[in-house]
Amino acid sequence: MSNKTVRLFLFLLFSAILAGMIAVTVTASLDRGIFVAGRELMQDAWFRATLCDAYFGFITFYVWVAYRERRLASQIGWFVAIMLLGNIAMSIYVLLQLVRMAPDAPLESLLLRKS
């Protein structure tokens, strides 16, 4: 697969994740507020397990973001965004990195620390 094809695939994938997450978040928000839902759902052990699983995934992703971002302000800002917005912030981060990459940059530069 060419570099260009992989970049396009990643762009489409993370765009779909962003659109999907915005859609389900808006739909859920129209049904009931997050604090109301949280009070009701927190009683369920599977909800708590799923919530922990999601946040451990957010922290895992954030470790990569913190590695890539050199400025403390960026590291803190992305931590807050990821913890509050989850996959919405994570997909925005990847999309921004893809857009900022030079067209001829190797895909490895997406994963590695900025120089």
Side-chain angles (χ1 to χ4, degrees), residues 9-72:
F9 170 76
L10 290 173
F11 186 83
L12 293 174
L13 173 66
F14 284 95
S15 294
I17 291 169
L18 177 59
M21 286 305 305
I22 289 172
V24 298
T25 302
V26 167
T27 302
S29 297
L30 294 173
D31 178 58
R32 61 187 164 174
I34 191 169
F35 296 111
V36 172
R39 276 193 303 273
E40 295 170 8
L41 294 170
M42 202 52 80
Q43 307 302 319
D44 188 286
W46 277 109
F47 173 77
R48 292 191 307 272
T50 302
L51 190 63
C52 286
D53 184 52
Y55 275 90
F56 289 152
F58 299 162
I59 291 168
T60 301
F61 183 87
Y62 172 73
V63 169
W64 171 64
V65 171
Y67 162 76
R68 288 197 82 239
E69 296 296 323
R70 293 202 176 266
R71 292 183 11 243
L72 181 61

